[in-house]
Amino acid sequence: MPFRTLLRSLSASLAVLLVASVAMADGYPRLALYGSITGWGMPYLASDGSLDTTAIAAAARYDEVILDVNPLEPYHPEILTALRQRHPGIRILAYVLGHDIWAAADADSLNHYPTRYRRLVRDLGGFLYNKKNGQLYPGADVNLAKRDASGHFVVAEGLAALIDSATAQPGAFDGVFFDVFCQSIAWTQDENTLVDYAAAGYPSLAAFDAAWRAAVDTLANRIRRLKGPDALLIGNCAESEHQSVFNGWMRENFPNQNGGTWDANVLDPAHGYFADEASFRAPVHNYIFSAYQGGGTDPMSIENAQRVRYGLATASLGEGYGVFGPSDRSVRTAMYHLWWYDEYAVDLASGRSANDLAHTHWLGDALGPEHQMIWAGTNDDAVGNHGFEDDVTSGWSFGLFSPAVATIERDTTTAAVGRSCAHVHIANASTVDWHVNLTSSGSITLTPYMEHAVTFWAKSSVPRTIVVTATQPGEGAAAAKSITIGTEWKQYQVILTPWTNVTSSLEFFLGLTPGDVWFDDVHFQLGSTNLYRRDFQNGVVLVNPSNQVLSVPMGSGYRHILGSVDPGTNDGSDASEVVVPANDAVFLIGGPSPDRIAPAAIMNLA
């Protein structure tokens, strides 16, 4: 749908559709608007001061809306009331700055929040300066590390009281969103910007940094005590912090924050999205914010549709919220509260994307956590005897070196795929891993610095670490990786990236741990074939963080959304085989048809 048509649709239909009381449903995807509002109320007030019903109707479609505390309180609480009337389940967070304030000087200095903030810092002597030029420190001009004579962090404590008083009106806000709330600002320094730690009252940068961290903790804990246990507190600045106090964090310009890769932003064990989902205070509210590209001229471009889809799908792998808009979150840059994308709302009866609140959360509840979907590719394979259906000798060699003692046999009592598998029993282990090895007779030619996938099912009598190797005959490994396997059948995909062009076979090193290991459906091919997946009552989300296009076998029962913003991706077609572009995602409607699921393999012929 062209953007002008979308605007007309909003004006004509949303005002009608959203007037009715619509309770917020559980389900996915979850949407948040990182909104903004000018000092005189634009875009939620018209030029004559009346409510702009189109803007309010558009914003009310979101689960959560972040809006500047000024001018909503104390000047225009009617905007908050109007949002809640159209969407009684909406949650509204007050946007505040953690340690930065501009030169606000409104005549109404007792009520105007930015002016109150500026005067508080001024009266406490709490500004932070740039040692290079003596001016206020850019982007962080509030010295949270300011202490009084008794050692109290007076700016941090005063700011907590100010934020609490500005957001204390009952029913106005559900919590506070802290932008520019950094555990440290030492990383912001460069050749033109240095923290004047001496003027801040400290003998060294290290002493200032330690005090700053303590002050930030003071502010976080103080505001939690003041707002109570049920208020939502969300932070934003670099890596996530304050997990025991806050409910979540925002990840900006996804996936370019924190190292600039999907893996760094999602899988990092300390501060990645999955780690944040597990560690923040309940109820967890993490945001993945994908930034708009194009200067406000074409929000419905294919590139922007992809950015929306990639971020929202990644958020849907957990319990988080997808966010999209301009990087400066300014309504003067674009009226982004009006933007709406195919994946935001879907009419399940027709499969068409929709523009109304009633069709959000269309995926329904999650059927389980995210998982990696793994499958064998179609490229040349080093393994000929994949499933050991007839024997364990064709296409494989079994290596054994003293002092290890081990055997291999075909096992028909258990299997992951088909009716049998390979069973290795290590009676005596060794101190050298390759003293027990299973090696493919076949080989493939490796492409340097390209991903090659070893895809297999395995289980072990005890959890164990094995080594998966691309072996150069007589010259050792071209690539190798260790992996831990568990005691239940599970499919694995190990990605090996060789440094050289060589013909290589596949080898498993098993010699370090006694016990039993079973293998089934083994493959070694060029290219990775795995992505992240989550299944829901009414559909599925597929996320491909790799740099290659993946063709995903889905089976029957799925179909694409019939979209208006990106009809090339969301074309309404059946989706038994789905192409997921590199660094992209796909939302599908439906699920596998029960009458078409293949029966399990017969395990007992008696």
Side-chain angles (χ1 to χ4, degrees):
M1 179 187 296
F3 190 43
R4 289 187 297 275
T5 305
L6 177 63
L7 290 178
R8 288 196 297 270
S9 174
L10 281 168
S11 298
S13 63
L14 286 178
V16 175
L17 289 171
L18 295 178
V19 166
S21 175
V22 181
M24 191 193 77
D26 293 329
Y28 301 79
R30 296 173 174 178
L31 307 173
L33 176 65
Y34 192 28
S36 71
I37 182 171
T38 65
W40 61 267
M42 191 273 282
Y44 300 103
L45 296 181
S47 57
D48 63 358
S50 63
L51 290 170
D52 187 315
T53 56
T54 297
I56 289 171
R61 294 175 294 179
Y62 288 84
D63 300 309
E64 299 189 358
V65 175
I66 302 163
L67 288 175
D68 307 74
V69 66
N70 179 78
L72 297 175
E73 286 291 338
Y75 303 115
H76 292 293
E78 73 273 18
I79 296 173
L80 300 173
T81 300
L83 287 168
R84 295 191 188 281
Q85 285 175 342
R86 292 182 177 269
H87 184 175
I90 198 170
R91 291 179 291 272
I92 305 173
L93 303 184
Y95 176 93
V96 301
L97 291 171
H99 47 77
D100 188 55
I101 187 62
W102 63 95
D106 193 88
D108 189 12
S109 59
L110 296 180
N111 292 299
H112 186 254
Y113 174 77
T115 300
R116 294 173 66 192
Y117 190 153
R118 183 81 178 192
R119 291 184 61 185
L120 171 74
V121 179
R122 181 201 67 188
D123 293 348
L124 292 172
F127 287 113
L128 187 66
Y129 294 94
N130 180 5
K131 189 175 181 180
K132 284 288 188 177
N133 58 18
Q135 301 299 309
L136 290 178
Y137 195 86
D141 59 12
V142 177
N143 179 15
L144 291 183
K146 170 76 176 183
R147 295 181 189 266
D148 65 8
S150 61
H152 288 283
F153 291 116
V154 289
V155 172
E157 293 178 5
L159 185 55
L162 172 66
I163 292 170
D164 179 54
S165 68
T167 60
Q169 183 66 28
F173 296 104
D174 299 288
V176 182
F177 182 90
F178 289 82
D179 199 10
V180 193
F181 195 64
C182 305
Q183 189 77 356
S184 170
I185 60 169
W187 61 274
T188 66
Q189 299 180 114
D190 56 32
E191 63 274 11
N192 299 314
T193 311
L194 292 177
V195 173
D196 193 341
Y197 55 81
Y202 292 91
S204 66
L205 179 62
F208 168 82
D209 192 50
W212 179 279
R213 292 173 183 271
V216 172
D217 288 343
T218 296
L219 174 53
N221 284 281
R222 181 66 61 92
I223 198 67
R224 171 55 73 189
R225 289 198 298 272
L226 291 170
K227 301 307 295 180
D230 297 327
L232 295 176
L233 301 180
I234 317 295
N236 184 33
C237 178
E239 293 182 336
S240 56
E241 299 288 350
H242 311 294
Q243 280 84 349
S244 65
V245 177
F246 277 29
N247 300 93
W249 212 254
M250 176 172 281
R251 197 167 303 277
E252 287 191 291
N253 196 20
F254 180 82
N256 297 319
Q257 186 171 292
N258 296 349
T261 66
W262 191 92
D263 284 4
N265 277 271
V266 178
L267 304 180
D268 180 84
H271 297 283
Y273 174 60
F274 288 162
D276 287 349
E277 287 285 277
S279 62
F280 269 100
R281 178 190 182 102
V284 177
H285 285 252
N286 286 305
Y287 298 139
I288 289 184
F289 175 23
S290 304
Y292 165 77
Q293 296 293 303
T297 58
D298 191 8
M300 302 299 152
S301 69
I302 297 302
E303 179 184 7
N304 283 313
Q306 181 272 332
R307 286 172 171 266
V308 169
R309 187 167 53 245
Y310 197 32
L312 183 62
T314 300
S316 299
L317 295 177
E319 309 310 304
Y321 296 76
V323 179
F324 187 71
S327 295
D328 62 4
R329 64 168 291 274
S330 172
V331 72
R332 292 185 174 91
T333 297
M335 297 293 225
Y336 61 96
H337 59 288
L338 301 175
W339 300 349
W340 198 254
Y341 295 87
D342 292 342
E343 293 79 12
Y344 284 6
V346 173
D347 181 346
L348 292 172
S350 66
R352 291 182 178 274
S353 58
N355 287 327
D356 59 305
L357 172 64
H359 289 101
T360 59
H361 303 114
W362 60 274
L363 282 171
D365 292 333
L367 300 181
E370 55 76 28
H371 63 280
Q372 274 191 288
M373 182 180 179
I374 298 169
W375 67 99
T378 57
N379 288 327
D380 291 344
D381 200 328
V383 179
N385 182 7
H386 306 294
F388 310 100
E389 292 298 284
D390 297 315
D391 58 61
V392 294
T393 55
S394 301
W396 294 94
S397 63
F398 184 62
L400 183 62
F401 299 88
S402 180
V405 177
T407 58
I408 185 171
E409 64 175 358
R410 175 173 171 259
D411 190 340
T412 59
T413 65
T414 183
V417 177
R419 65 184 187 276
S420 61
C421 65
H423 173 204
V424 178
H425 174 69
I426 300 102
N428 293 326
S430 173
T431 58
V432 180
D433 54 14
W434 54 265
H435 278 184
V436 179
N437 63 79
L438 181 61
T439 306
S440 68
S441 303
S443 61
I444 56 174
T445 300
L446 304 182
T447 302
Y449 310 110
M450 293 289 288
E451 292 183 343
H452 296 69
V454 181
T455 309
F456 61 99
W457 288 81
K459 68 174 182 176
S460 178
S461 56
V462 294
R464 69 169 62 229
T465 298
I466 66 174
V467 180
V468 183
T469 304
T471 299
Q472 301 180 81
E475 297 186 26
K481 187 173 292 185
S482 296
I483 184 173
T484 300
I485 61 174
T487 57
E488 301 291 334
W489 278 115
K490 180 180 177 181
Q491 192 176 27
Y492 300 88
Q493 188 166 100
V494 178
I495 304 302
L496 301 179
T497 306
W499 56 271
T500 184
N501 187 320
V502 66
T503 299
S504 172
S505 56
L506 167 65
E507 195 162 16
F508 295 106
F509 294 162
L510 311 170
L512 295 181
T513 306
D516 299 278
V517 188
W518 291 264
F519 292 98
D520 203 352
D521 195 29
V522 184
H523 303 265
F524 182 28
Q525 301 164 300
L526 173 66
S528 61
T529 47
N530 75 85
L531 47 67
Y532 286 82
R533 170 176 176 164
R534 196 175 190 190
D535 290 88
F536 302 86
Q537 288 175 313
N538 304 316
V540 65
V541 170
L542 306 173
V543 180
N544 176 15
S546 75
N547 293 321
Q548 63 182 5
V549 177
L550 293 177
S551 183
V552 186
M554 293 296 298
S556 62
Y558 297 96
R559 57 177 168 153
H560 290 275
I561 298 167
L562 183 56
S564 57
V565 174
D566 186 2
T569 298
N570 300 315
D571 62 3
S573 63
D574 289 339
S576 59
E577 187 85 9
V578 178
V579 175
V580 187
N583 308 124
D584 203 344
V586 170
F587 287 73
L588 300 176
I589 303 169
S593 301
D595 59 343
R596 296 186 183 181
I597 297 176
I602 297 173
M603 302 302 296
N604 186 346
L605 295 177

